[in-house]
Amino acid sequence: MQYSSLISYLNSFVTLAPEEASELEKRVTHRAIKRRQYILSDGEVCRHYNFIVEGCFKMYKVDGHGKEHNLHFATENQWITDIASFHAETPSQLYIEAMEPSIIFQINKEDLIYFYERSIKFNRIFRVMIEDEFVQLQHRLLQTISSPAEERYLEFMRRYPDLFNRISSVQIASYLGVTPEFLSTIRKKLANT
């Protein structure tokens, strides 16, 4: 298994002792995920934090008209989960779907609490991770309500530079809250400047 990427990621926050890394390896689940396979669906309770070893995922909501609204993309060495559903143990309103064949590690709530209670390092790592995601979410919300679509597109390019060859324009447009046609107009305008 490719535990090294997960251990390296965690060590970027606080270095784990060998016994902590060994215990983590015993408590995470390794999964291979097919393209278009869901690791969470609307109505399910989110039971895992998901660390991406290989692949790309999207988290989205489908509205009453069947329209998809992308909230988040995650690729290698990133986490993806519905934090609200996970912590409150309530049904999710979101989907998390693999956009390409992927490999993930999953940790459930019981095991995460085990680490929180036994190691201040895990408390610190996950607190900082969630704080960083909250800052990103706050930034995105402010952009959505106060920035024109062109600026949101440029910010998307900055935040997700490796995604352009991995996801469709339709997915990007959904994330930005614009139509694919309007995204095409933005791209043409930027190409001509």
Side-chain angles (χ1 to χ4, degrees), residues 1-2 29-39 50-51 53-55 57 98 100-106:
M1 313 254 177
Q2 302 166 347
T29 304
H30 175 268
R31 287 186 62 196
I33 307 295
K34 296 177 183 171
R35 181 176 182 265
R36 297 189 177 219
Q37 183 177 345
Y38 295 95
I39 58 173
N50 305 285
F51 179 79
V53 178
E54 293 176 16
F57 287 82
E100 55 192 43
S102 302
I103 297 172
I104 62 173
F105 287 120
Q106 295 182 307

Side-chain angles (χ1 to χ4, degrees), residues 51-126:
F51 179 79
I52 303 166
V53 178
E54 293 176 16
C56 180
F57 287 82
K58 63 179 177 176
M59 183 165 54
Y60 62 95
K61 178 174 177 51
V62 176
D63 68 20
H65 302 289
K67 184 176 179 186
E68 186 177 299
H69 301 275
N70 287 318
L71 303 175
H72 182 63
F73 296 103
T75 59
E76 291 81 6
N77 297 314
Q78 294 180 330
W79 294 84
I80 192 163
T81 195
D82 178 349
I83 294 173
S85 175
F86 181 87
H87 285 288
E89 297 181 0
T90 56
S92 179
Q93 298 178 19
L94 304 173
Y95 294 88
I96 301 176
E97 180 183 350
M99 300 181 69
E100 55 192 43
S102 302
I103 297 172
I104 62 173
F105 287 120
Q106 295 182 307
I107 187 165
N108 65 35
K109 191 171 188 177
E110 180 181 305
D111 287 324
L112 191 57
I113 290 170
Y114 170 89
F115 286 113
Y116 287 169
E117 291 174 348
R118 286 164 180 75
S119 172
I120 195 166
K121 292 177 185 178
F122 282 93
N123 255 322
R124 177 174 164 71
I125 291 166
F126 276 83

